[in-house]
Amino acid sequence: MNPLAQHPSRPDAGAAGVVSAAPAGPCSVVIFGAAGDLTKRLLEPALFNLANTGLVPEHFGLLGADIADLDARGWTASLRAMLESFVGDPEAEDQIGRVNDAAWERLTAHADYVQGDFTRDEFYETLKSRLEAIETSQGTGGNRLFYLAVADRFFAPIVEHLGKAGLLAEGESGEGPWRRIVIEKPFGHDLASAKALNRRLLDVVAERQIYRIDHFLGKETVQNIMALRFGNGLFDPLWNRDRIDHVQITVAETVGVEGRAKFYEQAGALRDMVPNHVFQLVAMVAMEPPVGVRAEAIRDKKLELFSAIRTVRPEDAVRGQYDAGEVSGRRARAYREEPGVAADSNTETYVALRLAIDNWRWAGVPFYLRTGKHLSERMTEIAIRFRKQPLAPFKGASIDDLPPNWLVLRIQPDEGIAIEFEVKRPGQTMQLAPAQMQFRYRDRFDPEPNVGYETLLYDCMTGDQTLFQRADMVEETWRVVGEVLDDWSGRPAAGFPNYRSFSAGPEEAERLLSDDDPTRRWRPVALDPAEDGS
Ligand code: BG6
């Protein structure tokens, strides 16, 4: 969803003038990796939520493709079983009220499944004939969305095979039926591999056909940053180097590697989270206002921002790896003791970076980023610290005694926005006390179930690329972290493991801030900063 366009949004009960979304136009969705975890946990529930809110087109085809030995009935039954298991589970990744049979039928009544090996030509012959049969019976007009929910080594080969089989051809300037591919992360593992992957994809399809997903952009609170910045006159005059001291972005997780050691050992926290998710948060906060609402206008501004970020030097990065720890009586093992992890693993489960942005708005304003697993709280926030006023005209108070003001954008959980400021403590003397103004999503809205993928899938079906990464954006973000990746791969980490599970991360990360200014400290990794869990 383009957050700046007058765009259908989920209805806000009782609000006047709220535009409801229209169903997407006729199309088929082909899911590669149909029997995999991502499909079951995220894609199918999101498609279901879309069907449940009437946004799946009336003329719709669904085709699963996977190596797993299943047929259409077995496949859809396994999806439904997973969906049922989410119902009423507040801990589930997907919030499903109940599985509405009509919506389920609408989604899966005509679904088909093709079993086979994605690397073989014959597979695509079968896929083609089965897809064409769905297209005819469902009247989808030949519009196709190929969703690649597979390991990254399959991205280019699948697209090349689809191209060879003639399944991706569009009219020269996009007229006629559309054909789109959706690529999950990781999009490359460094600049060279991202460039190589872009080249191979762009040999087969045009950029307008590629939807590189970053699921953080599907989150309401991430899109809301645009609303906050560009929909209000209040913040804009403050949003620059004159008023902002620095910005902290924290993506803290309590989970560990959760059975993904094979992937994670190769990736590590930096590759897994930073050039993609964390940099999208940076872009939302720091980009210039776009000159219009077109997807390209917004993506151009993000690219401009990424290009202005200085390549991070190894001394501006701190890596960490979790040791054992305990929380609420539960003992967690160290990363090196996780199944599938090498006993002397050098993989980082935590990273903190100091970014410098070389443009007129941000010159001299550091952006400190950190993300890690097994931290004290699951919490994603963007905290903007304002500069202090020049003097404190209160008896006995020096300006150094006054805490700074913060604007905190809570991305998840407890979604909302808070402003931290000073007020007069009631009484006969002038004493200041910290206070907070809060906006909480849950107080204002009654949101529909949404895992973020709904918005992104809907956008793929309706052809809105605003929330997707463009080739040049992906390459710039890999450029920014390239020197650190090279440095780390050539130099074993000293002192790993270096933070206790369920703590705030390695102590050393403090130096990124305090070296710049001794009054700067990371905010607590705690939902309520008054109860610092670290
Ligand atoms: C994924 C990473 O892309 O994002 C995971 O591979 C991480 O390691 C996840 O846990 C975080 O996403 P969310 O939506 O749970 O914050």
Side-chain angles (χ1 to χ4, degrees):
M1 182 194 314
N2 179 335
L4 294 186
Q6 168 68 358
H7 194 286
S9 59
R10 272 162 290 285
D12 166 16
V18 172
V19 188
S20 294
C27 66
S28 305
V29 174
V30 180
I31 304 177
F32 284 83
D37 204 44
L38 177 72
T39 303
K40 286 187 181 165
R41 280 190 311 107
L42 291 164
L43 286 189
E44 181 64 16
L47 275 172
F48 171 75
N49 281 338
L50 284 176
N52 210 13
T53 45
L55 298 182
V56 163
E58 192 184 329
H59 297 282
F60 179 70
L62 182 64
L63 183 72
D66 204 294
I67 189 90
D69 191 11
L70 289 169
D71 58 12
R73 192 186 278 260
W75 176 52
T76 53
S78 73
L79 296 180
R80 174 138 188 172
M82 180 68 106
L83 202 59
E84 300 275 2
S85 75
F86 294 145
V87 175
D89 176 359
E91 297 294 309
E93 227 161 335
D94 316 286
Q95 294 302 302
I96 304 285
R98 75 185 172 86
V99 182
N100 168 336
D101 285 329
W104 182 254
E105 278 295 298
R106 179 165 184 184
L107 198 62
T108 58
H110 308 282
D112 200 358
Y113 179 88
V114 181
Q115 188 277 333
D117 180 346
F118 304 151
T119 61
R120 302 180 71 89
D121 286 347
E122 310 84 83
F123 174 79
Y124 295 85
E125 285 159 28
T126 316
L127 182 83
K128 186 173 185 180
S129 66
R130 302 273 280 276
L131 178 57
E132 286 172 354
I134 293 185
E135 290 176 341
T136 310
S137 73
Q138 298 310 304
T140 63
N143 297 319
R144 300 167 184 160
L145 184 69
F146 294 97
Y147 199 113
L148 275 48
V150 292
D152 59 336
R153 66 178 185 283
F154 292 116
F155 293 162
I158 290 177
V159 171
E160 285 162 355
H161 275 290
L162 287 171
K164 203 162 134 199
L167 286 160
L168 291 172
E170 277 190 352
E172 258 311 286
S173 46
E175 75 279 5
W178 52 257
R179 275 78 207 254
R180 299 177 188 143
I181 54 169
V182 185
I183 309 270
E184 275 287 339
K185 67 181 265 275
F187 198 94
H189 51 90
D190 57 14
L191 178 56
S193 56
K195 279 188 166 170
L197 180 54
N198 275 329
R199 253 196 316 273
R200 285 180 73 179
L201 300 183
L202 289 164
D203 267 352
V204 183
V205 284
E207 181 64 41
R208 66 164 189 275
Q209 295 174 267
I210 308 176
Y211 288 68
R212 297 175 191 79
I213 276 214
D214 185 312
H215 80 277
F216 263 48
L217 287 174
K219 295 182 194 284
E220 289 289 354
T221 40
V222 175
Q223 295 169 54
N224 183 50
I225 301 170
M226 301 268 266
L228 178 84
R229 291 189 56 199
F230 306 135
N232 296 290
L234 180 60
F235 302 103
D236 178 58
L238 307 177
W239 218 263
N240 57 56
R241 62 194 304 273
D242 295 333
R243 294 310 320 145
I244 293 177
D245 181 78
H246 73 269
V247 178
Q248 296 187 14
I249 299 184
T250 301
V251 182
E253 299 188 280
T254 49
V255 292
V257 281
E258 314 289 299
R260 296 162 73 219
K262 197 164 162 228
F263 158 77
Y264 203 83
E265 275 281 88
Q266 299 301 316
L270 178 51
R271 285 192 173 89
D272 187 36
M273 298 294 288
V274 177
N276 32 64
H277 306 326
V278 182
F279 275 18
Q280 286 303 325
L281 301 180
V282 174
M284 288 300 213
V285 175
M287 66 189 266
E288 292 301 312
V291 289
V293 299
R294 285 176 311 107
E296 292 320 318
I298 295 170
R299 302 204 298 176
D300 286 349
K301 289 299 171 193
K302 287 191 179 179
L303 173 67
E304 194 179 282
L305 190 267
F306 291 144
S307 316
I309 303 178
R310 216 178 287 164
T311 302
V312 182
R313 300 168 309 176
E315 58 268 36
D316 292 329
V318 170
R319 54 180 156 165
Q321 190 191 70
Y322 60 80
D323 201 346
E326 207 176 281
V327 68
S328 322
R330 185 171 75 90
R331 189 186 175 277
R333 56 185 156 213
Y335 178 71
R336 287 177 176 180
E337 293 163 15
E338 300 273 14
V341 171
D344 58 352
S345 172
N346 239 324
T347 300
E348 81 286 356
T349 59
Y350 174 101
V351 53
L353 300 179
R354 172 170 43 205
L355 290 193
I357 303 179
D358 288 329
N359 66 17
W360 278 53
R361 187 185 290 271
W362 297 115
V365 180
F367 278 59
Y368 302 105
L369 320 177
R370 63 182 162 164
T371 180
K373 298 209 181 278
H374 272 203
L375 296 182
S376 49
E377 194 78 65
R378 173 173 177 260
M379 177 197 93
T380 297
E381 72 168 31
I382 300 168
I384 298 167
R385 179 177 144 176
F386 290 93
R387 290 193 191 285
K388 289 193 173 182
Q389 62 281 35
L391 283 170
F394 307 112
K395 206 167 149 199
S398 120
I399 192 69
D400 295 334
D401 303 331
L402 294 182
N405 300 137
W406 291 91
L407 172 66
V408 183
L409 314 184
R410 297 238 175 83
I411 305 299
Q412 65 185 25
D414 198 18
E415 290 80 0
I417 297 171
I419 299 179
E420 296 174 9
F421 60 110
E422 294 296 294
V423 294
K424 178 183 176 299
R425 190 185 288 281
Q428 277 60 48
T429 53
M430 175 58 92
Q431 279 185 42
L432 303 190
Q436 224 188 39
M437 277 198 304
Q438 293 232 33
F439 153 68
R440 282 209 176 98
Y441 267 82
R442 64 166 186 264
D443 296 340
R444 170 70 182 82
F445 300 107
D446 184 12
E448 289 177 14
N450 187 355
V451 296
Y453 270 88
E454 287 85 351
T455 306
L456 298 172
L457 273 167
Y458 181 75
D459 286 358
C460 294
M461 291 194 269
T462 53
D464 183 347
Q465 287 185 302
T466 310
L467 297 179
F468 297 84
Q469 295 264 63
R470 211 167 55 189
D472 46 9
M473 292 160 66
V474 175
E475 292 176 12
E476 270 308 312
T477 56
W478 280 118
R479 188 265 307 154
V480 175
V481 297
E483 272 186 31
V484 175
L485 287 172
D486 288 348
D487 179 61
W488 287 0
S489 69
R491 195 167 54 83
F496 268 12
N498 61 352
Y499 70 97
R500 224 174 5 96
S501 277
F502 312 120
S503 68
E507 294 276 313
E508 196 204 339
E510 283 296 342
R511 80 163 163 80
L512 295 179
L513 285 75
S514 56
D515 282 358
D516 287 345
D517 174 343
T519 71
R520 288 184 191 154
R521 292 194 53 79
W522 285 110
R523 289 169 62 84
V525 181
L527 286 180
D528 179 355
E531 293 170 16
D532 180 359
S534 62

